[in-house]
Amino acid sequence: MSEFMHVRPSIASVEQRTAAVEAAFDARGLKPAEFIEQFEHFTEEQWVPRNGARVVAKAWTDAAFKRRLLANGRDAVIELGLTMPQHHRHLVVLENTPTLHNVICCTLCSCTAFTIIGLPPDWYKDLEYRSRVVRQSRTVLKEMGLDLKPEIEIRVWDTTADTRYMVLPVRPAHTSGWSEEQLADIVTKESMIGVARLPGT
């Protein structure tokens, strides 16, 4: 047997392979570093739950906007200067009430309206949440800290290829007279996914 049969080829580290790919892009004028920096800017500064909180606060204080939001969520958020990817053709906003609670999930992967409510939390991407919330919604919500009364109806909405969902939480009664800025401060990503209700509701 040849002595060369015993020599294993060296395998480049992840860092070396990443550097080689970036160098190949750079050589073709594609500038991956700029793309990565821009993507980080979007995820850290623009794809944040504060966007959705602004939408909720506006709906709580402007009845006409709320009607437009419930009729066509995508068009309504654009009014506020927010954007959605082209493939997010529909944004369906689900209004919670004292007797109805909506929850969203994505049973196939972990899709959300990320430019509006932010990137999905780790638990949202977990197979256990994605599979169980559809079949055992009340139990899953209780395990996550939301113990709903038996008389409250729960509806679970599963994201599709072109439709994204967002929950419009119930406005706490004690916030009467608050500004939109103050209202936006109390809205959480969890309440817009539907695994939490805001204090006072």
Side-chain angles (χ1 to χ4, degrees), residues 6 22 46 58 62 73 81 90 92 96 106 111 118 128 131 138 158-159 161 164 166-169 185 193 197-198 200:
H6 300 287
E22 288 185 2
Q46 294 191 31
K58 181 72 171 175
D62 185 334
H90 309 287
V92 178
N96 279 354
C106 180
C111 296
E128 183 174 2
S131 60
R138 196 173 298 273
D158 190 2
T159 297
R164 298 294 181 268
M166 168 187 168
V167 174
L168 177 61
D185 285 340
I193 291 175
R197 282 206 165 201
L198 299 176

Side-chain angles (χ1 to χ4, degrees), residues 74-92:
R74 184 184 173 93
D75 284 353
V77 300
I78 290 174
E79 292 180 31
L80 301 185
L82 301 175
T83 61
M84 296 184 69
Q86 270 193 324
H87 66 284
H88 292 186
R89 295 179 56 203
H90 309 287
L91 174 64
V92 178

Side-chain angles (χ1 to χ4, degrees), residues 56-71:
V56 171
K58 181 72 171 175
W60 282 345
T61 57
D62 185 334
F65 175 79
K66 178 181 174 181
R67 285 193 295 272
R68 295 194 298 275
L69 180 68
L70 296 176

Side-chain angles (χ1 to χ4, degrees), residues 1-8:
M1 183 179 293
S2 168
E3 59 182 300
F4 297 108
M5 296 288 287
H6 300 287
V7 178
R8 292 184 177 180

Side-chain angles (χ1 to χ4, degrees), residues 18-29:
T18 300
V21 171
E22 288 185 2
F25 278 121
D26 282 331
R28 290 164 176 77

Side-chain angles (χ1 to χ4, degrees), residues 3-126:
E3 59 182 300
F4 297 108
M5 296 288 287
H6 300 287
V7 178
R8 292 184 177 180
S10 61
I11 299 175
S13 67
V14 172
E15 292 79 9
Q16 289 172 320
R17 283 178 279 172
T18 300
V21 171
E22 288 185 2
F25 278 121
D26 282 331
R28 290 164 176 77
L30 298 178
K31 304 185 184 304
E34 291 182 14
F35 171 80
I36 293 170
E37 183 178 348
Q38 184 183 40
F39 185 77
E40 288 177 347
H41 168 74
F42 276 119
T43 58
E44 293 174 6
E45 298 182 33
Q46 294 191 31
W47 295 348
V48 291
R50 184 71 180 186
N51 291 340
R54 283 178 52 215
V55 174
V56 171
K58 181 72 171 175
W60 282 345
T61 57
D62 185 334
F65 175 79
K66 178 181 174 181
R67 285 193 295 272
R68 295 194 298 275
L69 180 68
L70 296 176
N72 188 325
R74 184 184 173 93
D75 284 353
V77 300
I78 290 174
E79 292 180 31
L80 301 185
L82 301 175
T83 61
M84 296 184 69
Q86 270 193 324
H87 66 284
H88 292 186
R89 295 179 56 203
H90 309 287
L91 174 64
V92 178
V93 178
L94 312 160
E95 184 179 14
N96 279 354
T97 72
T99 58
L100 172 64
H101 187 83
N102 296 286
V103 187
I104 64 175
C105 69
C106 180
T107 54
L108 290 179
C109 50
S110 58
C111 296
T112 62
F114 56 83
T115 61
I116 308 301
I117 67 175
L119 294 172
D122 288 341
W123 55 260
Y124 184 89
K125 297 181 280 187
D126 191 86

Side-chain angles (χ1 to χ4, degrees), residues 134-153:
V134 177
R135 297 177 288 104
Q136 304 170 317
S137 53
R138 196 173 298 273
T139 300
V140 170
L141 292 177
K142 185 174 182 179
E143 291 171 356
M144 298 182 77
L146 180 59
D147 190 5
L148 295 172
K149 296 177 181 178
E151 59 267 28
I152 296 179
E153 179 187 356

